[in-house]
Amino acid sequence: MSGRRILALTTDSFGGRGGIATYARDAIRAMAALGDVAEVVVVVALKPDPAEPLPPKVTLVDKSGAGKSGYATAVVRLALAGGFDAVWIAHASLAPLGWLAARRSGVRLGMSLHGSEVWRRGRLSREWAMARADLVMPVSHLTLDRFRAARGGLDQPNAILPGAVDFAQFMPGPKPAALIERYGLAGRRVLLTVARIGADHGEKGFARVIAKLPRLIQRWPNLVYLIGGDGTERGQIEAQVAEAGLQQHVVITGYIDEAELADHYRLADAFILPSSGEGLGIVLLEAQACGIPTIASNLDGGAEAVAGMSRAVNPDDAVAVEEALDKAFAAPRVRPDGIGRFAIEAFNARMSDAIDRLLGT
């Protein structure tokens, strides 16, 4: 086989859910589209859904049912078989295995950096491997700065690679009547957050909004907080809502299928991500692409996702949140001009430059 081959290690990508999976798919598609790349071999650890049609030159090695040891064994075997020109890992949790695969293959290691999981130090094996990546690829300047600060100013070659949004899928449109009926939203003013309700739900910030709802309802009595997502910690959020007596003002959708995701954004009168651990926040890009007035957090990388387009406030500041909502509810539903810097084409160009650096071309 002529051309370069890349070994891509992912927690979840094709057949996966959430922002990390979306980012990994976009990155792999961009790699495979490069003219001098002959194949991208993707090893996936989690695959809750059937995999999407694979792009040309992408081979999927599905180890979603194999556990950690089965996944590691498959990666080592691939590395020992050789023939790769670079190794890329989609998440820092794979750093030790990525370093081993790169070392066994005699090639360079590229590593994507996302949010709070790389802002603090972790296990020694992960730290050791991360310090030896040949190219770090953070999704934002904030992630790079915090990654370095947590490690005493560690200064590796880097390429800032923010995520992308598909403008053909995420575009302005009317509120879909079927979803209004499904969730009982007729005549309601909708404030939306889309995020997984997992172990990191505290960093996503659902509780921050729920705690402020009594004050916000005084201002907007017909307000409903729509939480688009599901996860292992959903019960905790439901308990907080019940304890506050807010069941009439909070709706949790459960898992949203990709085919319905854009329509869920269009339900919103305003979108908020009141987070503290996002490297960038792909949902912020998707909401803005749909023309939804958007509020990000200034505690994390969300501020970079809305810079020059939407507002970023401290989500713990009730007055700031209320003022931002007041402006968002009055704003037109239009796609901001600056969102073009997050187009798929722009992402592909940045990835092309990064892969050239990783391959040493």
Side-chain angles (χ1 to χ4, degrees), residues 179-237:
L179 294 184
I180 291 174
E181 181 177 1
R182 181 188 301 178
Y183 301 122
L185 300 177
R188 308 298 294 273
R189 187 186 297 266
V190 178
L191 176 62
L192 172 66
T193 297
V194 173
R196 180 176 55 88
I197 314 175
D200 60 348
H201 68 92
E203 291 185 342
K204 298 296 183 185
F206 307 110
R208 291 184 171 104
V209 175
I210 294 168
K212 295 175 182 63
L213 277 179
R215 174 188 177 120
L216 299 176
I217 291 165
Q218 288 181 355
R219 178 74 182 279
W220 299 287
N222 65 341
L223 182 67
V224 60
Y225 182 36
L226 184 66
I227 298 176
D230 207 351
T232 57
E233 307 305 311
R234 176 173 175 169
Q236 291 190 26
I237 301 300

Side-chain angles (χ1 to χ4, degrees), residues 7-359:
L7 178 60
L9 310 186
T10 70
T11 50
D12 43 357
S13 52
F14 295 97
R17 299 176 178 179
I20 300 295
T22 298
Y23 186 94
R25 289 194 295 268
D26 287 343
I28 292 161
R29 291 187 182 108
M31 294 177 199
L34 297 176
D36 62 345
V37 170
E39 184 182 25
V40 183
V41 177
V42 181
V43 191
V44 63
L46 303 170
K47 193 168 72 64
D49 299 322
E52 304 85 342
L54 297 177
K57 302 190 289 186
V58 172
T59 301
L60 187 67
V61 179
D62 181 4
K63 290 299 172 181
S64 56
K68 291 182 179 180
S69 61
Y71 183 91
T73 298
V75 170
V76 171
R77 285 176 175 169
L78 284 166
L80 290 174
F84 292 104
D85 298 279
V87 175
W88 170 76
I89 62 171
H91 194 273
S93 62
L94 297 169
L97 188 56
W99 176 85
L100 178 61
R103 183 64 178 269
R104 293 297 185 188
S105 300
V107 298
R108 292 160 59 86
L109 172 64
M111 176 175 63
S112 286
L113 305 176
H114 294 279
S116 60
E117 75 279 357
V118 299
W119 300 349
R120 51 184 178 262
R121 296 184 66 85
R123 293 179 303 172
L124 288 177
S125 59
R126 193 189 78 159
E127 292 298 318
W128 191 91
M130 290 173 71
R132 286 158 178 79
D134 297 287
L135 182 68
V136 295
M137 303 153 77
V139 297
S140 63
H141 292 87
L142 180 138
T143 285
L144 178 61
D145 291 345
R146 292 189 178 179
F147 171 75
R148 286 173 167 172
R151 291 156 186 86
L154 182 67
D155 190 14
Q156 294 156 281
N158 70 86
I160 306 292
L161 286 170
V165 61
D166 183 353
F167 294 150
Q169 177 183 1
F170 298 98
M171 64 179 67
K175 292 190 175 189
L179 294 184
I180 291 174
E181 181 177 1
R182 181 188 301 178
Y183 301 122
L185 300 177
R188 308 298 294 273
R189 187 186 297 266
V190 178
L191 176 62
L192 172 66
T193 297
V194 173
R196 180 176 55 88
I197 314 175
D200 60 348
H201 68 92
E203 291 185 342
K204 298 296 183 185
F206 307 110
R208 291 184 171 104
V209 175
I210 294 168
K212 295 175 182 63
L213 277 179
R215 174 188 177 120
L216 299 176
I217 291 165
Q218 288 181 355
R219 178 74 182 279
W220 299 287
N222 65 341
L223 182 67
V224 60
Y225 182 36
L226 184 66
I227 298 176
D230 207 351
T232 57
E233 307 305 311
R234 176 173 175 169
Q236 291 190 26
I237 301 300
E238 291 174 333
Q240 182 190 4
V241 171
E243 184 177 354
L246 293 169
Q247 295 94 325
Q248 300 304 310
H249 292 275
V250 178
V251 174
I252 302 177
T253 67
Y255 171 67
I256 300 173
D257 186 87
E258 185 72 19
E260 289 191 321
L261 184 53
D263 272 343
H264 278 76
Y265 286 113
R266 297 180 190 118
L267 282 172
D269 296 289
F271 182 90
I272 188 169
L273 186 63
S275 53
S276 58
E278 295 294 307
L280 186 74
I282 284 180
V283 293
L284 293 166
L285 306 183
E286 293 170 347
Q288 291 178 109
C290 288
I292 306 305
T294 296
I295 303 167
S297 167
N298 64 9
L299 302 179
D300 60 15
E304 292 186 38
V306 303
M309 298 182 291
S310 300
R311 295 169 182 83
V313 301
N314 184 338
D316 292 321
D317 185 333
V319 174
V321 170
E322 185 174 345
E323 290 176 348
L325 281 174
D326 191 43
K327 293 176 181 177
F329 287 147
R333 294 163 62 97
V334 294
R335 179 184 286 172
D337 292 338
I339 196 73
R341 66 183 183 270
F342 298 109
I344 288 288
E345 294 79 9
F347 177 85
N348 290 348
R350 288 189 288 264
M351 179 60 75
S352 176
D353 290 343
I355 294 302
D356 281 347
R357 291 177 61 187
L358 184 61
L359 292 171

